[in-house]
Amino acid sequence: MATTNNYKKVVIFSAPSGSGKTTIVHHLLAKFPQLQFSISATTRPCRGQEVHGKDYHFLTVEEFHKKVNGGEFIEWEEVYTGRYYGTLKSELDRIWDAGGTVIFDVDVKGGVNIKKLLGNNALAIFVMPPSVEELRKRLESRQTDSTEDIEARVKLAEQEMTYSKYFDRIVVNNKLNDAIKEAEQLVEDWLKE
Ligand code: 5GP
């Protein structure tokens, strides 16, 4: 992997799950061709429309631990009990070797850790839901998670919101279109710098 003194620019998006972060990231990927998505590894099951090797590298817990022990991640977290997520070093190399700028969609702790590691090479953006109640409604209407999973996500979101202070910028996702515009402006300015 590239050494710390030749890290290139990255954009980090973190937020409590259900804040609209993934939708914003997809818009940015379509708008800025130089941005390339860091495909995380995870042990959670694949959801309906997701594709292995495009949305995530879906691994068994054994495969994931093997990669942890092999030092293949720049960061990893047990985001929910028994559900592991991590950023592979090989993803950064793949994107940087192709001349791209990495965009991460990671949990809040992962975002803080990548920001610490990459410092001024990283623009770290926290997407804030308008309220915890709104977040619960969004997770319910998404219909991708069980009631238990939704409760776990809401509980975690309350803790995660306290980490927003470690990010460079906060985008409040009250109206999705406004949040997308704001995120686009921040990224455009950052890519120009
Ligand atoms: P989901 O299961 O909804 O796709 O993702 C759950 C959470 O895990 C989201 O906040 C997502 O951003 C986060 N996540 C995805 N990939 C990674 C990763 O590589 N590292 C970390 N720390 N979190 C991740």
Side-chain angles (χ1 to χ4, degrees):
M1 189 178 127
T3 53
T4 20
N5 53 12
N6 63 6
Y7 279 146
K8 305 193 180 101
K9 275 188 185 179
V10 306
V11 180
I12 305 165
F13 272 84
S14 292
S17 171
S19 307
K21 157 191 61 158
T22 303
T23 310
I24 295 173
V25 168
H26 284 155
H27 274 267
L28 294 171
L29 282 164
K31 169 129 185 143
F32 301 103
Q34 68 269 55
L35 292 181
Q36 292 195 36
F37 185 60
S38 164
I39 304 163
S40 296
T42 184
T43 64
R44 82 146 161 77
C46 185
R47 292 186 190 130
Q49 298 296 308
E50 289 176 331
V51 176
H52 176 72
K54 181 170 171 272
D55 299 286
Y56 280 106
H57 300 289
F58 293 99
L59 304 180
T60 64
V61 174
E62 291 70 33
E63 286 167 339
F64 195 97
H65 285 315
K66 216 170 148 194
K67 289 189 189 297
V68 170
N69 293 333
E72 292 185 43
F73 289 107
I74 61 160
E75 64 79 33
W76 63 273
E77 297 287 335
E78 185 177 4
V79 177
Y80 309 107
T81 310
R83 300 264 164 96
Y84 298 91
Y85 295 77
T87 303
L88 292 159
K89 292 177 183 172
S90 57
E91 279 300 297
L92 300 191
D93 288 337
R94 174 180 69 80
I95 295 168
W96 284 340
D97 286 352
T101 297
V102 184
I103 183 164
F104 297 97
D105 173 341
V106 290
D107 89 315
V108 170
K109 282 190 192 155
V112 171
N113 287 335
I114 297 169
K115 175 68 189 171
K116 266 194 211 147
L117 187 69
L118 301 187
N120 289 337
N121 289 318
L123 170 67
I125 299 178
F126 188 96
V127 182
M128 183 77 87
S131 68
V132 171
E133 265 326 295
E134 181 58 32
L135 183 73
R136 187 193 302 273
K137 274 193 217 148
R138 287 182 192 175
L139 288 170
E140 283 167 355
S141 64
R142 195 162 83 172
Q143 294 187 326
T144 53
D145 302 288
S146 67
T147 312
E148 276 169 14
D149 275 355
I150 290 173
E151 283 317 308
R153 280 169 192 250
V154 168
K155 213 170 141 202
L156 180 65
E158 286 173 322
Q159 292 169 17
E160 288 180 325
M161 278 146 121
T162 65
Y163 284 79
S164 60
K165 56 180 177 280
Y166 299 114
F167 286 74
D168 298 313
R169 307 303 288 256
I170 297 174
V171 171
V172 180
N173 184 7
N174 202 350
K175 285 196 187 136
L176 183 61
N177 280 346
D178 293 346
I180 289 170
K181 272 196 211 127
E182 198 180 334
E184 278 179 0
Q185 194 58 57
L186 290 173
V187 170
E188 192 174 328
D189 292 346
W190 167 248
L191 292 174
K192 267 193 255 159
E193 264 177 36

